[in-house]
DNA sequence: TTGCTCCTCACGTCACGTGAGGTGGC
DNA sequence: TTGCTCCTCACGTCACGTGAGGTGGC
């Protein structure tokens, strides 16, 4: 029989760990002196402790280990737990590999540019939405901007404040070759019962469902639409370096109601749907 | 200006997270109403938040991030932090890959044998030690056991109880081909000043330094030396499956003072030095 | 008698999630 | 007036490490 200190030296673990496992009921000492509270361990308990340590190294929680060592799980269930572990570790490996790529990208950026860019790209899912908008084809940003101004005014008049979401421009063409702009301009809205809204020149805003995206790469820009190419280029580089590929319609979402006289102060989130490259 | 709930919805983070970052000084709201305590955020703070979220994804702690975003670190120092992160992530990847191998080994073992073996192999470092022992060559375990008995008695008489460590048998031959046993039998001792001890037949125990091992694969067995091949085979399989290779002298360490009349109750730790296979 | 080891609290870790209990503006 | 949102505590998480303060055997 060993005192806790002797046993901990044999097993190369801390005595605090042994006390903790005693408290959890994971590994009880063979004997506890009722008078002093001293814990006494037997050498033959070392295999029990080693089993616990091995299961811990496999990544099981102490709660799972407690179930396993209490023999309440058979080989079949244990195999199931191991398979679940394998899946989780594989996921973890993927996450870490992605991190490593990202860190290496930033190191390369500092080496190339001397510093990190100010604009960070974040990837996140995007839910389904309702969109009250009008299709617009244009060959220049100024032309589109006139429609945008009309959309803003019309929406403010026609839609209840509580149901009116952010102004957004959807872009169905190739964002990197904007010779002919194929846009939809409108607002996100909260409720289906928002009616259509007539605009000048026979145009008409209608509500439609805008499907969500599993992964959307987004980047905030502050400034006029013409300067969007900066943030766009940034997302393009990010997508290329991170093992994603672009796909689907991009969006520019105005995070604040824009001041049409000062579009250079607009705060816009550029959004590009992305998917993992195979 | 947005209330915390609006800002949290735009940024897809919880308002608890925003309050926490406020508390840490990581991201202060643009304005806090002194009367109500309400926090007000500006859309232009979204890039600041995104920077924090990106740095978090790279694996920095919030404390490191606080230093980085407070602009107290330049590009050179930031690069250093990124390189440190890269090293740490690579280490983590190695650990996870090793875990994955271990988990797969256990799954295969259940598939082969229907259950997991009782004897777990643990790998750990082993420090330098002092060893009071006698060289023995023998062609059988019984012959060696006679010497072992004499060693136990002689050591008990000659060495102070407080300086006498565990009984151990060092094995310099190939553990898997034991046709000629090339052993040292003796005790670990605490102090250099333990003298030599004369045995019968002109044998003599002497103290020597026993160098440590960076990685030692160990497995506890309970039973006679003849049954050691079970634990030995177990370690052999483990070493093979885990990307290690054997190298150096193995040891059998008696965790309890052995009862020479009942060696089948002996609790022995089999120890094999190992190294990573390239 | 002096060290050494043992004991039992109890706080700290890290980045929040999750109530509890209460208040302010539409 | 009723929801809704906001606020500030404060506990819980996971597996222990690290004192604090005190006691028992050689």
């Amino acid at each position: 029989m060993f005192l806790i200190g002797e046993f901990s030296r044999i097993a190369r673990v801390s005595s605090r760990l042994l006390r903790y496992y005693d408290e959890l009921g994971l590994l009880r000492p063979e004997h506890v002196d009722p008078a002093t509270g001293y814990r006494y361990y037997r050498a033959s308990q070392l295999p029990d402790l080693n089993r616990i340590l091995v299961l811990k190294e496999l990544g099981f929680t102490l709660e799972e280990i407690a179930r396993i060592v209490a023999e309440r799980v058979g080989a079949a269930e244990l195999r199931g737990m191991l398979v679940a572990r394998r899946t989780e570790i594989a996921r973890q490996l993927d996450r870490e590999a992605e991190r490593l790529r990202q860190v290496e990208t930033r190191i390369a950026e500092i080496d190339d540019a001397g510093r990190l860019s100010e604009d960070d790209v974040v990837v996140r899912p995007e839910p389904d939405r309702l969109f009250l908008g009008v299709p617009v084809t244009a060959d220049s940003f100024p032309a589109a901007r006139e429609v945008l101004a009309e959309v803003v005014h019309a929406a403010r008049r026609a839609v209840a404040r509580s149901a009116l979401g952010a102004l957004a421009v959807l872009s169905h063409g190739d964002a990197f070759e904007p010779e002919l702009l194929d846009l939809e301009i409108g607002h996100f809205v909260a409720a289906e019962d928002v009616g259509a809204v007539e605009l000048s020149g026979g145009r008409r805003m209608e509500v439609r469902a805008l499907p969500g995206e599993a992964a959307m790469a987004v980047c905030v820009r502050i400034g006029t639409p013409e300067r969007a190419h900066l943030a766009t280029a940034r997302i393009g580089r990010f997508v290329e370096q991170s093992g994603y590929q672009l796909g689907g319609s991009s969006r520019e979402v105005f995070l604040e109601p824009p001041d049409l006289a000062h579009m250079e102060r607009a705060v816009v989130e550029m959004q590009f749907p992305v998917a993992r490259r195979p």
Side-chain angles (χ1 to χ4, degrees), chain A:
Chain A
M1 302 278 269
F2 301 108
L3 286 173
I4 196 168
E6 301 165 324
F7 193 65
S8 79
R9 252 163 286 149
I10 290 172
R12 332 268 150 148
V13 297
S14 69
S15 43
R16 172 64 169 115
L17 178 147
L18 291 173
R19 289 197 193 96
Y20 185 53
Y21 288 2
D22 179 14
E23 185 188 333
L24 295 185
L26 248 187
L27 182 73
R28 289 269 156 76
E30 268 290 313
H31 175 248
V32 178
D33 187 310
T36 64
Y38 276 34
R39 295 168 176 83
Y40 293 91
Y41 292 86
R42 207 173 275 287
S44 56
Q45 296 190 272
L46 197 51
D48 300 341
L49 178 56
N50 281 343
R51 164 127 305 184
I52 293 169
L53 297 178
V54 164
L55 290 171
K56 196 152 63 91
E57 272 187 31
L58 297 183
F60 288 109
T61 66
L62 295 188
E63 197 177 335
E64 292 169 319
I65 294 171
R67 287 195 54 232
I68 294 171
V69 300
E71 313 286 356
R72 269 172 294 167
V73 329
E77 188 181 353
L78 183 54
R79 188 181 191 286
M81 294 173 80
L82 285 165
V83 169
R85 278 269 71 215
R86 180 172 62 185
T87 307
E88 183 50 39
I89 295 169
R91 228 196 301 271
Q92 182 69 17
L93 269 173
D94 281 353
R95 274 197 295 265
E96 291 292 327
E98 166 67 13
R99 270 187 187 199
L100 190 57
R101 270 207 304 275
Q102 291 291 339
V103 168
E104 282 171 345
T105 298
R106 313 290 156 153
I107 292 174
E109 193 180 336
I110 290 183
D111 290 344
D112 288 354
R115 61 184 190 83
L116 285 188
S117 153
E118 302 283 305
D119 305 310
D120 290 302
V121 179
V122 171
V123 177
R124 53 170 168 74
E126 181 71 21
D128 295 339
R129 291 179 176 280
L130 291 175
F131 187 69
L132 172 69
V134 56
V136 176
T137 55
D139 56 1
S140 71
F141 283 110
R145 199 186 295 182
E146 282 177 30
V147 180
L148 187 135
E150 196 184 355
V151 160
V152 169
H153 290 306
R156 267 182 209 163
R157 275 197 313 271
V159 181
R161 221 168 176 287
S162 63
L164 189 64
L167 173 68
V169 179
L170 314 187
S171 181
H172 302 302
D174 183 338
F176 295 87
E177 300 284 345
E179 272 136 38
L180 181 69
L181 302 172
D182 177 12
L183 312 174
E184 279 178 84
I185 302 178
H187 278 267
F188 296 117
V189 288
E192 189 87 61
D193 62 3
V194 172
V197 178
E198 304 293 335
L199 302 178
S200 68
R203 293 185 202 272
R204 188 185 155 87
M205 290 200 283
E206 287 180 356
V207 174
R208 76 171 179 103
L210 189 60
E213 302 282 350
M216 190 85 109
V218 312
C219 180
V220 176
R221 80 174 158 81
I222 302 180
T224 57
E226 285 82 358
R227 297 191 49 231
H229 67 275
L230 284 176
T232 302
R234 182 100 188 90
I235 291 183
R237 274 203 309 280
F238 172 87
V239 164
E240 189 179 332
Q241 287 161 345
S242 306
Y244 287 103
Q245 62 191 8
L246 290 171
S249 301
S250 64
R251 309 177 184 178
E252 294 175 63
V253 178
F254 289 74
L255 298 181
E256 288 178 319
D259 177 349
L260 295 170
H262 295 283
M263 286 302 273
E264 74 278 6
R265 295 184 202 146
V267 180
V268 177
E269 193 172 80
M270 315 282 301
Q271 304 184 342
F272 289 80
V274 294
R276 281 271 163 220
R277 237 178 298 162

